[in-house]
Structures are given as C-alpha cells and as structure tokens.
Amino acid sequence: MLTFAQDYVDIFRIGYGETFNNDFEGTNSSTSIRSFEVGLTFPVVLNDNHALITGADFSANNLQLFPEAERTSLYSTNIKLGLASTYSERWSSTIVLLPKIASDYNDISSDDFYLGGFALLKLQKKENLIYRFGVYGSQEAFGFFTTPIIGWYYLSPNKKFEMDMSLPISADVSYDLGKTTIGMDYFGIGRSFNIKKENQPDTYVDLSSLEFAAYWQFNFLDKSVLLRTKLGYSSNNYEVYTDGDDRTQLNPEMKGGFFAKIEAIYRFNLPTKQDKTLENQ
C-alpha cells in the first residue's frame, strides 16, 4: 500500500517575510530584503503503489543589489512533476522534476529557463522512523549545482515531538503543545536569476541562502490550517556577475541579517493505520 513519510501532506503554503539591514561590506549602505512565496503540492494516487506528484511554486525577492541603487525584483516559478512509489513495507522512493523560470522577468527568454529535480530513496526502519538518501540537482546560470541528501523523519510515540530532516537542504524540529506548536527550522540552497536591463550587459544573480529560524505555530481546524510566525537569521548573499565572464563579482559582499516571517499552511491529514482499522470494523 502506498504510504507517505508523514501522516499528512502540505497542500498549500504561502508566506511573506523581510530581512532587515543587510549591510554591504566596505560601505555604510545596507538593504532590506522582502520575500513572498506561495506553493502548491497535489499528489494524485494512481494505485496502491504509485502516486503522481504535481504542483507549482512561485517566489519573489525585492532588494537593492548595489549600494544606493534602485530596488530589483527577482522572481522564480517552478513546476513540480514526479512519482512517489512503494516497493515493499520498508522501501519507497520519490522522484520529482523541477523545471523553472528564474529572472527579473524582463524580456523572458530561453536563457531564463532551468531544469532541476531530486530523487529520494526511503527506508522505513520503524513505524515512526524513516531514513532518506538522495540527491538534488539544478542547472543554474553559474553552472550545474548538485548536493547529496541524507535525512530522516521521526515522530515520537506520543506524537508530540517531530523531526523532518533532509540535510544539507532543510531541517524542521518541532514539539506539539496542542493548539500551538513550537519549533526550529533551517533552509539552505543555491539559486540564480537572470537580469536584463536596457543598454546594460546581461548579468545574473547568484544567491547563496542559509536561513535559521524559530517559530510559533497556531493550529486550527484539527491541525488542517496552520499559521506560523517566525524569527531568525539569514545569511542570504546576492552576488552579481556578468554573463559569460570569469566570475568577477560586480557588487560588494552582502552581510546576513535578522528576519521576520509569517506563513500559512493548508495541511491534509492522511488516515492512519488505526483509523483504517476502525473504519473496517
């Protein structure tokens, strides 16, 4: 029978955040970074052993790339298309393609299109413990980026303490207090965006992102609607380069800063083995 690592699927997610006072090294200037993200994931069960993974994500980041410069908006839209498969009670896999368009969305062309994806092999060690092994890869303006994925999902017997780890990309540790949940999360990945402006050479932004946050989550409608308030530190560095050059950075290094964020999540709770047993009685 097809199973998921958790007893739920996050169908819809939306968030807005702002990082304050990211200083440019060697200057007296700084910039704030405003971010907006929205994502949809919709699995379609094909049979007892396979489910089609579909969905899309959109993000927008607005900031100054140079000291005292006008603000620039960087956008990314990706489609999710993949397959989740179960081979036995212990082994399963997820393979997802992630084609995307990432740029300032001025004069969109094939140069703004990138292809990425990830593959995961999962081992169900115990009923409440699953190990993950895989790889993530993405074509970017600076070349092909890839990283291995090693992680696990753990839920304590009382279903209060939860760990969802996919290192080095993401991590989430939380404790359920009932109507609220407290937790800490991490997200880190490299991305790029093409920049096209009239009468200027084409450039691209190489974003190196590491975000650490603590959150307080409010649970509504039997934990189907979640509202998170987050505070944390981001080391986001937006490096600007000319297309096709020898990687000479055009803007000063950007220092990290503290950020605040609010997220809303719609979570579909899957029936547990106990629920199914009761239904069949």
Side-chain angles (χ1 to χ4, degrees):
M1 176 174 288
L2 185 68
T3 59
F4 294 85
Q6 306 95 333
D7 290 331
Y8 57 82
V9 178
D10 288 342
I11 299 293
F12 181 76
R13 179 187 296 259
I14 188 170
Y16 176 82
E18 184 166 350
T19 306
F20 310 100
N21 296 328
N22 295 86
D23 295 329
F24 291 101
E25 289 190 359
T27 75
N28 293 322
S29 298
S30 65
T31 182
S32 62
I33 302 172
R34 302 166 192 156
S35 64
F36 172 77
E37 298 154 0
V38 60
L40 174 69
T41 301
F42 191 75
V44 179
V45 176
L46 303 176
N47 53 48
D48 284 349
N49 297 314
H50 301 284
L52 185 67
I53 306 298
T54 66
D57 294 304
F58 171 79
S59 69
N61 299 287
N62 180 268
L63 73 157
Q64 295 168 279
L65 294 172
F66 294 85
E68 310 303 329
E70 294 183 358
R71 300 183 71 90
T72 298
S73 292
L74 305 172
Y75 305 99
S76 178
T77 304
N78 74 261
I79 302 298
K80 291 180 276 193
L81 183 61
L83 185 68
S85 303
T86 297
Y87 308 107
S88 69
E89 291 184 356
R90 299 188 66 191
W91 293 98
S92 62
S93 69
T94 302
I95 301 174
V96 179
L97 291 176
L98 298 168
K100 67 178 179 179
I101 296 176
S103 70
D104 58 1
Y105 282 15
N106 291 324
D107 191 20
I108 295 176
S109 69
S110 60
D111 293 336
D112 304 332
F113 177 82
Y114 305 101
L115 182 61
F118 67 87
L120 288 176
L121 183 65
K122 305 172 189 177
L123 170 61
Q124 180 109 31
K125 189 67 175 178
K126 299 178 182 178
E127 185 177 349
N128 63 337
L129 176 62
I130 295 176
Y131 293 122
R132 300 173 177 141
F133 313 93
V135 63
Y136 168 86
S138 178
Q139 177 192 11
E140 300 291 344
F142 51 81
F144 190 77
F145 170 83
T146 184
T147 182
I149 301 172
I150 299 176
W152 63 91
Y153 175 80
Y154 171 78
L155 183 64
S156 64
N158 64 3
K159 297 187 177 182
K160 296 289 188 181
F161 179 70
E162 185 177 27
M163 300 180 71
D164 192 353
M165 318 292 285
S166 294
L167 303 173
I169 295 176
S170 65
D172 192 323
V173 179
S174 63
Y175 190 83
D176 186 356
L177 300 173
K179 293 184 178 180
T180 62
T181 299
I182 56 173
M184 296 181 295
D185 66 10
Y186 155 83
F187 183 75
I189 202 167
R191 289 174 286 178
S192 63
F193 307 85
N194 272 335
I195 300 291
K196 296 180 181 178
K197 294 185 178 180
E198 291 185 6
N199 303 319
Q200 294 185 21
D202 289 346
T203 58
Y204 67 89
V205 177
D206 179 356
L207 168 60
S208 299
S209 174
L210 296 174
E211 293 186 353
F212 305 86
Y215 64 82
W216 188 284
Q217 175 177 292
F218 301 87
N219 306 316
F220 302 99
L221 299 178
D222 196 23
K223 301 180 182 177
S224 293
V225 177
L226 314 176
L227 182 63
R228 287 181 181 176
T229 56
K230 303 173 70 171
L231 292 173
Y233 180 84
S234 171
S235 66
N236 287 345
N237 188 18
Y238 292 76
E239 301 175 355
V240 181
Y241 299 95
T242 302
D243 283 353
D245 73 350
D246 57 356
R247 294 279 290 179
T248 301
Q249 187 172 337
L250 303 180
N251 62 335
E253 289 283 336
M254 191 179 297
K255 296 181 180 179
F258 291 96
F259 73 89
K261 190 173 186 179
I262 186 169
E263 294 179 339
I265 300 167
Y266 172 67
R267 175 168 292 178
F268 180 73
N269 294 299
L270 301 169
T272 64
K273 292 181 179 180
Q274 183 178 2
D275 294 334
K276 293 177 181 177
T277 300
L278 292 174
E279 288 177 0
N280 294 328
Q281 289 180 348

